[in-house]
Amino acid sequence: MRSHAKRLPSRPVILLLQVAVLVGFFLLWHVLTVTTNLLSPFFFGTPLAVLERTIKDFASGVIWYHLGITLLETALAFVIGTVSGIAFGFWFARAPLVSVVFDPYIKAVNALPRVVLAPIFALWLGLGIWSKVALGVTLVFFIVFFNVYQGVKEVSPVVLANARMLGANSRHLFRHVYLPSALSWVFSSLHTAVGFAMVGAVVGEYLGSSAGLGYRIHQAEGVFDTVGVFSGMLVLTIFVVAIDSAVTMAEKRLLHWRPQEAQTTH
Amino acid sequence: MAEAAATAPALCLEGVTCIFPSPDGRGRTYTAVQNASFTVADGEFVSIVGPTGSGKSTLLNVAAGLLRPSEGRALSFGQPVTGINPLAGYMFQAEALMPWKSALENVAVGLEFRGVSKREALDRAGPWLTRVGLDGFGDRFPHQLSGGMRKRVALAQTLIVDPKIVLMDEPFSALDIQTRQMMENELLDLWAADRKSVVFITHDLEEAIAMSDRVLVLSAGPGSRLIGEYKITLDRPRDVAEIRMTPQFLALHKEIWGQLRDEVLKGYAQTKLR
């Protein structure tokens, strides 16, 4: 491994290059579909039509309702999955018998592709938001569960002994030692957890619903509206990027005690 | 009980033997400490020296109540130690600060555990940080402090809850020699202020002699026993760097080293065998 990485250009230059890639991609798309007609606009859409449709949807306001539904499902799946993951993670980590007995079943359920549960949830919970929330929860739960389990198990025995010597009872140990340790693991998997919550929501909507971004993409697909599908994907992408940067901000605030790599300034 | 506490020694180990299941399993056992008995008087500074693997930390864990001896018992101020010894403070060899708490919060946490409100605990932790020379570093997290600073925080964290006996397990062994001597002097100053009992574990004989009233020597493991006891009659207050040059110190060092050397060699042979 080389010790000195090649020097990178400054931030504005990198940003410029990144924008250039985006513009280049749209240009290529435009050339292939409109100018040369190598690809049929019917199957591939055109970038201008997709942008126009997206702006129109936002301007007319129809998209907000669907965005709101997807966001609500994502948030509910994330919160319910995280809280139950933390609770069960703690329980399993502190009760060795439970964890040993349930271990093969947990692994089996986690190995199951969760998408196959979507029809069952739709049957049980109907086509409203709760079947999507349930799907998201099954995805989020296991990520959080395994991280909390690990976090509780990996608490430094010295830190634990020190806290006990300082007079901590079991409630104190939970609040001051186990919980912060476990939460640091949960937060480090926050991106994955939020991402999976959204996957659950969108896939659930796609498979059967009456609202949401997944529903809109499915509707457009059903009538061969390629532009509508791409427009839906574009909105979804913007939505994902926005949520992910919100998570990054939350992470920075919550994990400020963590050492950063090669920290020289604050 | 108050009367008993006034006369009873701060710590009394009676025939303590600790047997552990061997790490390689198969029902074999490993005897770390064999029939160790000693007392530490109220206000006394006692060091225990021994080669690596001689069960020094094991003895300390018994005194702290973190470990139940296989045989024998520990008494602290006349009370049998069952469970965590509430009169003891423990300064660990390894990093024991909570990485998610700032220096100030780490110092305050012991008071919080004892039911002091968070605000009052933080107020009282401030002066302790100043006392260990960390004024203005209260909002730093452990990873933002140097090794010596973390030890100072740990020292304040241990002393703020006013333990009657302080157990120290090679607390300064990870520090460079200058920082270490500074910390040793600061510890002696703090100790002189209110004369708590101290049990100080170290593998460094010079450190043991420079700091203590009495030095106990442990034999090489397995099955370590206490094999020597030396009163250190050097005058106080001491400067740990300067006292090393005095003829009295050198005479004591020579006497104790004569016994310790054999054990160190035995311990070394043991580790080579393993």
Side-chain angles (χ1 to χ4, degrees):
Chain A
M1 209 175 111
R2 227 181 282 172
S3 57
H4 286 284
K6 273 190 185 163
R7 252 184 77 84
L8 287 168
S10 63
R11 267 189 75 97
V13 177
I14 291 177
L15 203 69
L16 210 70
L17 289 172
Q18 286 170 336
V19 172
V21 169
L22 186 71
V23 172
F25 172 75
F26 277 104
L27 261 181
L28 185 69
W29 186 5
H30 185 78
V31 168
L32 285 176
T33 51
V34 180
T35 321
T36 62
N37 226 341
L38 278 173
L39 300 173
S40 158
F42 178 75
F43 287 112
F44 291 90
T46 66
L48 284 176
V50 169
L51 281 178
E52 195 194 325
R53 175 77 67 85
T54 309
I55 291 167
K56 209 181 79 191
D57 282 347
F58 273 107
S60 68
V62 275
I63 199 76
W64 293 112
Y65 167 68
H66 296 283
L67 251 180
I69 293 286
T70 303
L71 187 64
L72 178 66
E73 288 162 357
T74 303
L76 283 172
F78 175 72
V79 171
I80 297 173
T82 304
V83 170
S84 55
I86 290 176
F88 277 90
F90 263 104
W91 183 37
F92 275 55
R94 306 291 283 140
L97 179 66
V98 177
S99 102
V100 170
V101 169
F102 279 91
D103 182 64
Y105 303 107
I106 295 274
K107 288 210 174 104
V109 176
N110 188 40
L112 181 78
R114 249 48 64 75
V115 179
V116 303
L117 295 175
I120 282 291
F121 287 139
L123 279 177
W124 289 348
L125 303 164
L127 293 180
I129 65 166
W130 290 107
S131 57
K132 286 86 202 168
V133 172
L135 187 61
V137 166
T138 61
L139 290 164
V140 173
F141 171 82
F142 285 96
I143 300 164
V144 176
F145 171 82
F146 286 121
N147 275 294
V148 169
Y149 184 79
Q150 199 70 9
V152 173
K153 285 272 174 193
E154 302 228 329
V155 167
S156 152
V158 180
V159 171
L160 207 55
N162 189 34
R164 288 173 65 204
M165 287 308 300
L166 290 169
N169 57 30
S170 54
R171 203 168 45 84
H172 292 135
L173 287 181
F174 175 80
R175 209 172 87 71
H176 293 270
V177 182
Y178 287 117
L179 194 61
S181 173
L183 284 186
S184 75
W185 282 73
V186 172
F187 290 140
S188 57
S189 64
L190 215 57
H191 286 278
T192 334
V194 171
F196 272 115
M198 205 152 48
V199 167
V202 173
V203 169
E205 286 164 1
Y206 185 84
L207 292 176
S209 64
S210 52
L213 291 179
Y215 163 79
R216 274 185 64 87
I217 292 174
H218 191 223
Q219 288 297 99
E221 190 197 322
V223 296
F224 286 95
D225 176 10
T226 330
V227 173
V229 173
F230 279 121
S231 168
M233 279 163 57
L234 183 65
V235 174
L236 196 59
T237 310
I238 297 169
F239 176 62
V240 171
V241 170
I243 286 198
D244 205 59
S245 39
V247 169
T248 306
M249 264 157 60
E251 202 175 22
K252 272 198 185 136
R253 279 190 62 87
L254 292 166
L255 286 184
H256 60 132
W257 56 267
R258 274 253 187 111
Q260 249 104 65
E261 288 170 58
Q263 198 173 37
T264 49
T265 50
H266 294 284
Chain B
M1 187 204 142
E3 245 173 83
T7 53
L11 181 68
C12 177
L13 262 58
E14 294 174 350
V16 168
T17 299
C18 290
I19 302 169
F20 295 100
S22 184
D24 49 15
R26 317 264 191 283
R28 291 202 295 172
T29 56
Y30 174 83
T31 307
V33 186
Q34 183 91 56
N35 197 20
S37 301
F38 67 92
T39 58
V40 176
D42 197 7
E44 193 183 20
F45 197 125
V46 174
S47 285
I48 301 176
V49 291
T52 32
S54 60
K56 303 184 291 279
S57 305
T58 307
L59 282 180
L60 217 54
N61 286 340
V62 169
L66 289 168
L67 183 70
R68 256 177 58 153
S70 312
E71 281 165 43
R73 61 173 188 162
L75 296 148
S76 190
F77 295 95
Q79 297 294 309
V81 175
T82 52
I84 297 292
N85 183 349
L87 300 170
Y90 199 137
M91 203 170 152
F92 292 83
Q93 181 181 12
E95 297 289 344
L97 296 177
M98 298 171 201
W100 42 81
K101 286 184 186 290
S102 70
L104 191 69
E105 286 168 337
N106 260 298
V107 175
V109 79
L111 292 177
E112 276 185 71
F113 291 159
R114 282 164 166 73
V116 177
S117 75
K118 175 150 191 173
R119 169 179 284 198
E120 195 196 330
L122 290 175
D123 282 347
R124 281 164 60 184
W128 267 102
L129 270 185
T130 312
R131 219 186 289 190
V132 294
L134 287 179
D135 202 10
F137 289 92
D139 55 355
R140 299 281 187 93
F141 288 93
H143 77 89
Q144 298 168 320
L145 300 169
S146 69
M149 288 164 142
R150 287 202 287 270
K151 285 297 172 196
R152 286 160 200 265
V153 176
L155 186 61
Q157 186 187 50
T158 307
L159 294 180
I160 194 173
V161 294
D162 196 25
K164 296 283 165 281
I165 176 165
V166 184
L167 311 167
M168 308 183 101
D169 186 5
E170 304 195 24
F172 309 138
S173 62
L175 303 179
D176 62 86
I177 188 71
Q178 286 87 4
T179 316
R180 185 170 174 169
Q181 291 188 345
M182 249 159 59
M183 290 292 296
E184 286 165 2
N185 276 333
E186 278 173 33
L187 175 61
L188 282 184
D189 285 346
L190 285 169
W191 174 75
D194 60 355
R195 293 265 169 169
K196 296 174 188 310
S197 309
V198 177
V199 183
F200 193 94
I201 300 276
T202 178
H203 57 253
D204 180 353
L205 181 55
E206 291 193 24
E207 183 178 44
I209 300 173
M211 314 256 310
S212 329
D213 296 322
R214 197 147 54 93
V215 173
L216 304 175
V217 180
L218 267 178
S219 72
S224 307
R225 291 157 298 112
L226 283 168
I227 50 169
E229 183 180 350
Y230 300 88
K231 270 217 154 341
I232 310 298
T233 47
L234 304 170
D235 291 335
R236 290 190 191 270
R238 304 174 189 167
D239 181 295
V240 291
E242 282 166 22
I243 204 162
R244 284 165 210 238
M245 323 290 182
T246 62
Q248 282 165 291
F249 181 95
L250 293 172
L252 276 165
H253 189 276
K254 197 175 168 194
E255 185 187 354
I256 305 175
W257 178 242
Q259 185 176 30
L260 188 59
R261 185 183 49 214
D262 296 342
E263 296 307 323
V264 170
L265 289 176
K266 269 189 237 163
Y268 182 61
Q270 285 281 347
T271 54
K272 273 214 297 198
L273 272 178
R274 260 177 238 159

